[in-house]
């Protein structure tokens, strides 16, 4: 793996950029935004694909080797596929992955595979159409669910992300694990995070990673812990004899900050060195002011130098902006 110049004062190398291409989405998941939506960015405020390509090239020059395309829902942004084609040609970029809600991704399967994009995370919080509707406020369970198997059939490496919450989908946990019996799926159970676009009065789910694991361990006696990547946020397991695996992501407990290799760029150019922290700078503005490649690169290096130890320290700097919608942050 190439050395990254993006090294913070704790010695963490950043080589993974999460790039949001839009804050818009065709879903209204309760843990991400209110039913009425958010104050979506105006088109002029969204980075253009050229700006995203310029910045991605600068990031890769600094040591980024993996870019995850996120949103909102990335496939609602018109022109995303030609952009991905260009992005897949950026020097030094070894991997492009995608996070989607699964409604639109299936139609681009062949094109994604032709660019070498075969890792996709699909947000799916229930295997029951009614609960799915209750959670996403959309009636799209069948297209998302069937889309998962079309992706698998086409040879994609599919991970399902399920946000676990009281009174929402606890009864889905075991059915999700049973799905891994006959399919090479990786199902990850996430703790609910506060990025829901609310006024901060909403009470988050009490189901943390310990409670989720305990619940699962009451249903299975043969759970095997898997060895995961050093930077993995997920603690992964496999039931003996099952094709797939499951993982638990302590996304609110933030137990994995010590090996965090991630940096985030929102669709409006806000650079965050931590999901829980405030934006450190705005790279879109810098580009639009005519900044050089070198100055933009220096701005990114300066931001990394200021990085906080973990998500708690970063949250302390956030002036209560932690309720910003995940759709605006870029996930
Ligand atoms: S909370 Fe912040 S520091 Fe911790 S893993 Fe997430 S992005 Fe990295």
């Amino acid at each position: 793996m190439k050395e990254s110049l993006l090294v913070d004062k704790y010695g963490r190398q950043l080589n993974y950029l999460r790039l949001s291409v839009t804050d818009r989405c065709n879903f209204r998941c309760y843990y991400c935004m209110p039913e009425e939506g958010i104050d979506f960015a105006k088109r002029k405020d969204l980075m253009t694909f050229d700006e995203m390509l310029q910045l991605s090239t600068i990031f890769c020059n600094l040591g980024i080797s993996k870019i995850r395309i996120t949103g909102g829902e990335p496939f609602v942004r018109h022109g995303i596929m030609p952009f991905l084609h260009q992005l897949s040609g950026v020097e030094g970029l070894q991997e492009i992955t995608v996070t989607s809600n699964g409604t639109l991704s299936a139609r681009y399967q062949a094109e994604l595979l032709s660019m070498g994009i075969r890792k996709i995370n699909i947000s799916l919080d229930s295997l029951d159409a009614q609960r799915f509707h209750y959670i996403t406020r959309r009636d799209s369970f069948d297209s998302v669910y069937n889309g998962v198997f079309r992706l698998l059939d086409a040879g994609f490496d599919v991970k399902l992300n399920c946000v676990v919450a009281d009174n929402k989908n606890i009864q889905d946990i075991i059915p999700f694990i049973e799905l891994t019996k006959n399919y090479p799926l990786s199902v990850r159970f996430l703790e609910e995070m506060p990025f829901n676009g609310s006024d901060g009065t909403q009470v988050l789910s009490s189901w943390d990673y310990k409670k989720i694991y305990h619940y699962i361990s009451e249903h299975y006696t043969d759970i095997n812990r898997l060895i995961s990547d050093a930077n993995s946020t997920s603690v992964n397991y496999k039931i003996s004899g099952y094709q797939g695996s499951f993982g638990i992501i302590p996304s609110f407990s933030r137990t994995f900050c010590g090996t965090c290799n991630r940096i985030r760029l929102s669709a409006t150019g806000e650079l965050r060195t931590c999901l829980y922290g405030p934006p450190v700078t705005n790279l879109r503005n810098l580009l639009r002011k005519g900044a050089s490649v070198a100055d933009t690169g220096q701005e990114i290096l300066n931001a990394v130098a200021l990085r906080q130890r973990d998500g708690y320290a970063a949250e302390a700097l956030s002036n209560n902006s932690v309720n910003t919608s995940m759709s605006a942050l870029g996930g």
Side-chain angles (χ1 to χ4, degrees), residues 153-166:
D153 290 346
F156 281 84
D157 176 343
V158 180
K159 291 189 172 74
L160 299 182
N161 286 348
C162 169
V163 176
V164 173
D166 320 76

Side-chain angles (χ1 to χ4, degrees), residues 28-39:
R28 293 288 180 272
C29 304
Y30 75 90
Y31 52 76
C32 177
M33 67 172 91
E35 185 153 13
E36 64 276 12
I38 58 173
D39 187 12

Side-chain angles (χ1 to χ4, degrees), residues 30 125-126 131 134-135 163 165-172:
Y30 75 90
D125 305 297
S126 182
R131 285 195 294 278
Y134 179 55
I135 290 167
V163 176
D166 320 76
N167 312 318
K168 297 274 188 337
N169 58 353
I170 303 308
Q171 60 272 61
D172 286 291

Side-chain angles (χ1 to χ4, degrees), residues 223-234:
I223 301 173
N224 307 292
R225 171 98 181 237
L226 299 176
I227 297 169
S228 305
D229 294 351
N231 310 111
S232 175
T233 55
S234 183

Side-chain angles (χ1 to χ4, degrees), residues 14-34:
L14 309 189
N15 55 15
Y16 176 9
L17 170 67
R18 296 177 68 101
L19 171 62
S20 172
V21 296
T22 182
D23 62 347
R24 291 174 186 264
C25 186
N26 51 349
F27 278 11
R28 293 288 180 272
C29 304
Y30 75 90
Y31 52 76
C32 177
M33 67 172 91

Side-chain angles (χ1 to χ4, degrees), residues 75-319:
F75 293 107
V76 301
R77 177 128 188 212
H78 181 68
I80 178 86
M81 297 310 289
F83 165 67
L84 290 179
H85 270 291
Q86 290 181 294
L87 186 67
S88 62
V90 169
E91 199 182 330
L93 185 54
Q94 292 163 11
E95 189 176 28
I96 301 172
T97 60
V98 178
T99 295
S100 166
N101 63 24
T103 44
L104 305 169
S105 38
R107 72 180 66 168
Y108 299 112
Q109 284 182 194
E111 224 180 322
L112 290 170
L113 286 174
S114 71
M115 304 175 217
I117 299 176
R118 50 177 302 281
K119 289 187 178 176
I120 188 164
N121 292 8
I122 301 289
S123 305
L124 181 60
D125 305 297
S126 182
L127 294 173
D128 172 84
Q130 270 191 322
R131 285 195 294 278
F132 178 96
H133 185 273
Y134 179 55
I135 290 167
T136 64
R137 297 142 171 164
R138 292 292 182 270
D139 208 2
S140 312
F141 174 72
D142 291 342
S143 69
V144 174
Y145 184 74
N146 297 334
V148 167
F149 296 98
R150 280 212 298 275
L151 287 164
L152 282 173
D153 290 346
F156 281 84
D157 176 343
V158 180
K159 291 189 172 74
L160 299 182
N161 286 348
C162 169
V163 176
V164 173
D166 320 76
N167 312 318
K168 297 274 188 337
N169 58 353
I170 303 308
Q171 60 272 61
D172 286 291
I173 295 175
I174 302 308
F176 266 120
I177 294 178
E178 284 307 299
L179 208 54
T180 69
K181 187 172 187 175
N182 301 316
Y183 296 98
L185 270 173
S186 172
V187 178
R188 290 105 59 84
F189 301 109
L190 290 80
E191 297 174 342
E192 188 184 351
M193 291 177 277
F195 308 113
N196 51 35
S198 75
D199 57 7
T201 56
Q202 273 174 325
V203 177
L204 291 183
S205 166
S206 65
W207 282 69
D208 67 2
Y209 67 103
K210 291 181 187 144
K211 194 169 178 180
I212 296 170
Y213 183 81
H214 179 71
Y215 178 80
I216 295 169
S217 66
E218 287 177 333
H219 291 76
Y220 297 96
T221 53
D222 49 353
I223 301 173
N224 307 292
R225 171 98 181 237
L226 299 176
I227 297 169
S228 305
D229 294 351
N231 310 111
S232 175
T233 55
S234 183
V235 182
N236 301 310
Y237 308 89
K238 193 181 181 78
I239 307 297
S240 298
Y242 283 30
Q243 276 195 45
S245 64
F246 72 90
I248 302 172
I249 302 182
S251 31
F252 189 54
S253 302
R254 288 161 268 185
T255 55
F256 41 61
C257 298
T259 58
C260 179
N261 63 335
R262 294 169 291 282
I263 192 166
R264 290 173 167 84
L265 191 59
S266 78
T268 55
E270 290 181 336
L271 183 68
R272 281 180 173 80
T273 54
C274 173
L275 178 61
Y276 284 82
V280 184
T281 183
N282 190 304
L283 300 180
R284 174 207 61 196
N285 294 351
L286 217 59
L287 284 188
R288 291 183 183 180
K289 284 185 201 140
S292 67
V293 168
D295 290 347
T296 308
Q298 191 56 52
E299 182 84 354
I300 297 168
L301 287 164
N302 295 348
V304 172
L306 295 171
R307 198 166 188 241
Q308 298 299 308
R309 174 184 294 280
D310 60 26
Y312 292 98
E315 185 180 350
L317 297 179
S318 72
N319 298 329

